Amino acid sequence: MKIKYCKRSLEQGLKPVYKSLKKKYPELKQKKTGCLGQCKSCRSGCFVMIKSQPIIEATPDKLYKRLKKIVG
């Protein structure tokens, strides 16, 4: 599984999510990219892409909890 992050999202609060997942799941592939082409999702909340599907939550904490459930 690979989680993709927009650099703008990382700058707006997802950096702790990225670092926490990297520490808890070192085998998990995470990629930072300039833009994921999901501007509507990016403006509406915290989001990442998994398998071309946006995962959106209102806060970084909620997104982290949801990603932990997805990753297992």
Side-chain angles (χ1 to χ4, degrees):
M1 176 185 304
K2 185 190 296 183
I3 300 175
K4 295 181 184 177
Y5 296 82
C6 172
K7 284 186 181 178
R8 181 174 179 237
S9 293
L10 285 167
E11 293 168 0
Q12 293 181 342
L14 289 187
K15 198 171 278 188
V17 173
Y18 176 87
K19 288 182 179 183
S20 295
L21 286 173
K22 188 171 185 151
K23 185 177 181 180
K24 187 167 178 83
Y25 306 100
E27 72 285 354
L28 182 64
K29 294 180 183 179
Q30 297 187 93
K31 182 178 179 183
K32 302 174 194 174
T33 188
C35 179
L36 294 171
Q38 296 286 324
C39 297
K40 186 176 180 181
S41 299
C42 195
R43 281 186 293 243
S44 67
C46 300
F47 96 103
V48 296
M49 297 285 284
I50 298 177
K51 296 181 183 178
S52 301
Q53 294 293 324
I55 308 297
I56 307 165
E57 289 293 340
T59 66
D61 289 336
K62 288 181 181 178
L63 181 63
Y64 178 70
K65 288 176 185 174
R66 185 165 174 198
L67 290 173
K68 281 192 347 183
K69 287 180 184 176
I70 292 170
V71 172

